[in-house]
Amino acid sequence: MTSIGGAEMVDWNLAVATATRLVRPGPEVSRDEARAVVAELRGHARTSERHVREFTRMIPDGTPVNDTPVLVVDRAGWVKANVAGFRQLLQPLLGKMQDRRAGTPGATVFGAVGGKVTGVELGMLLSFLASRVLGQYETFAPVSRELPGSTAGGGRLLLVAPNIVHVERELDVTPHDFRLWVCLHEETHRTQFTAVPWLRDHLEGEIQTFLGATEVDPMTVLERLREAAQSFAGARPDAERGDEGRSLVEIVQTPEQREVLGRLTAVMSLLEGHADFVMDGVGPQVVPSVAEIREKFQQRRASGAGRLDAALRKVLGLDAKLRQYRDGERFVRAVVGQVGMDGFNRVWTSPNTLPTKAEIARPADWVARVHRKGSEESEEA
């Protein structure tokens, strides 16, 4: 839409340009070293696929290797991929907000300025995140020439090379081991989505249900972005950076949204915890220094990088993500301990066998519900 009154709620191109301009440069490496890092990450991704398949037993033996692309990207590449995914996911919400805005006073002025303001502020947040993410299975962005996906309809594994090199140097760990360790985690996510065909659509459906129930005006969303952006820029007084800061996910207003958010939290805890469990389960066999890497990496996760980093993590809801790693891993470990890997894999049967948020905290309740039901069905047959 090019007319002032119908301008898009977010200037996505400006978001990419802002993030690319503001993101911190990566570690200094020579051209030859950069090529070697890319080649090694690609090789580790291929190796990890076999290790993860054997450990998780999610994909039957003999199944062809999946064609999901492995993209080794820089920070700007990560930004572009995520903007494409956000744009796809947020279309329904932004359309709804745009319709609401059309009937309000000052809509023309907001249309001329609001999209650019939001684009700049979103870009500022992405510039912060782009220097921290090591890898990601991106599944929502449409397939394009710049962002290829699997023939099944999307999905690609992103490995952010500058960030991996930065962290391995910061932790002072063996680069070869650390790169393989990271690939094991990210490959587990790729396996989750390729082995469970309904998972992507289920997640997207839950997200769209959540967004569809949103009843906020455009200025409220802009204010959430502005709070986070000002924290990033160091513009907010110290008193405003404490525990009372609000998270971007706290636009939850309805009981329906709270229910959906609870289900999403449980699923993300499962996915992240499972990836950590697999990474550590495979690690001792193929990563000689895995114990040292895990200890140092856990300390880094917990500490953050100072007050400003901690404040922005809270505003963005990243502290909740750290809890997802911890709680999800405990759930997976407890269930596998009770019913074995094959028993745990019943979690992937359907949306009805996914754990609830309460069951993430009480794994025995999930085992009782899913395995008791399965036993009763077997007896009836």
Side-chain angles (χ1 to χ4, degrees):
M1 297 178 228
T2 57
S3 64
I4 290 179
E8 284 194 87
M9 295 288 296
V10 180
D11 188 329
W12 299 104
N13 292 333
L14 186 56
V16 171
T18 301
T20 302
R21 185 175 69 254
L22 294 179
V23 71
R24 290 180 293 182
E28 292 186 9
V29 295
S30 67
R31 182 170 297 182
D32 288 343
E33 185 179 1
R35 289 197 186 102
V37 170
V38 171
E40 185 170 34
L41 288 173
R42 290 187 184 279
H44 283 334
R46 289 191 296 271
T47 301
S48 296
E49 183 169 13
R50 174 171 53 84
H51 290 312
V52 171
R53 279 190 176 205
E54 291 175 355
F55 185 82
T56 64
R57 300 201 289 273
M58 291 178 66
I59 300 176
D61 292 338
T63 303
V65 174
N66 73 69
D67 66 344
T68 307
V70 176
L71 307 180
V72 182
V73 299
D74 59 10
R75 291 168 176 175
W78 179 86
V79 167
K80 292 175 183 176
N82 278 269
V83 166
F86 291 156
R87 189 172 190 171
Q88 182 75 11
L89 278 176
L90 293 177
Q91 275 182 346
L93 173 63
L94 295 183
K96 178 180 179 180
M97 292 171 64
Q98 192 157 320
D99 290 342
R100 168 184 269 189
R101 185 188 69 190
T104 61
T108 301
V109 174
F110 189 94
V113 179
K116 294 190 180 300
V117 172
T118 311
V120 168
E121 294 182 334
L122 178 60
M124 293 176 71
L125 299 183
L126 288 171
S127 72
F128 171 82
L129 295 172
S131 63
R132 284 158 172 75
V133 176
L134 301 182
Q136 173 187 355
Y137 185 78
E138 204 297 312
T139 184
F140 296 116
V143 175
S144 66
R145 183 174 59 83
E146 290 188 348
L147 201 60
S150 69
T151 56
R156 68 283 298 167
L157 180 61
L158 306 177
L159 298 170
V160 191
N163 296 348
I164 293 172
V165 172
H166 171 78
V167 174
E168 70 192 25
R169 291 179 179 180
E170 179 185 326
L171 298 182
D172 190 24
V173 293
T174 305
H176 174 86
D177 288 3
F178 183 74
R179 295 167 192 174
L180 177 55
W181 188 71
V182 169
C183 286
L184 288 170
H185 181 102
E186 304 307 333
E187 177 58 41
T188 302
H189 287 316
R190 180 163 70 156
T191 298
Q192 290 163 349
F193 281 90
T194 54
V196 186
W198 53 263
L199 183 58
R200 179 194 179 280
D201 289 343
H202 173 72
L203 269 180
E204 184 171 16
E206 292 281 60
I207 292 170
Q208 294 304 338
T209 299
F210 178 86
L211 295 176
T214 299
E215 294 294 344
V216 296
D217 62 83
M219 293 308 297
T220 302
V221 175
L222 279 178
E223 181 59 28
R224 297 291 198 274
L225 286 171
R226 189 166 292 111
E227 288 175 5
Q230 288 175 347
S231 289
F232 169 78
R236 297 177 66 199
D238 286 348
E240 293 182 26
R241 295 185 193 156
D243 291 339
E244 62 271 28
R246 293 175 295 178
S247 164
L248 283 177
V249 299
E250 291 173 355
I251 57 174
V252 179
Q253 294 190 336
T254 68
E256 180 186 9
Q257 281 187 305
R258 285 191 285 272
E259 289 180 11
V260 176
L261 188 60
R263 295 196 298 268
L264 281 170
T265 298
V267 174
M268 297 312 298
S269 297
L270 170 68
L271 298 181
E272 296 294 356
H274 182 235
D276 266 12
F277 177 79
V278 173
M279 178 171 63
D280 288 345
V282 175
Q285 307 166 38
V286 297
V287 182
S289 58
V290 65
E292 177 192 3
I293 290 172
R294 165 54 79 185
E295 181 180 2
K296 290 183 175 180
F297 194 76
Q298 288 287 65
Q299 290 173 355
R300 182 181 184 273
R301 261 186 189 170
S303 65
R307 287 186 68 191
L308 180 57
D309 183 84
L312 190 51
R313 280 187 353 195
K314 180 172 180 59
V315 172
L316 294 173
L318 298 183
D319 285 341
K321 187 172 179 65
L322 296 180
R323 289 193 295 274
Q324 288 171 6
Y325 286 109
R326 182 184 65 242
D327 298 345
E329 196 274 342
R330 279 203 296 253
F331 170 83
V332 176
R333 186 172 300 280
V335 172
V336 171
Q338 282 189 256
V339 296
M341 185 64 75
D342 292 332
F344 165 78
N345 280 340
R346 291 181 65 173
V347 78
W348 312 114
T349 304
S350 75
N352 292 330
T353 56
L354 291 172
T356 64
K357 188 176 179 180
E359 288 171 340
I360 288 288
R362 296 190 295 273
D365 290 356
W366 179 87
V367 172
R369 175 174 66 88
V370 173
H371 284 265
R372 182 180 64 238
K373 181 178 179 181
S375 300
E376 291 172 353
E377 290 174 350
S378 298
E379 291 173 4
E380 291 175 2

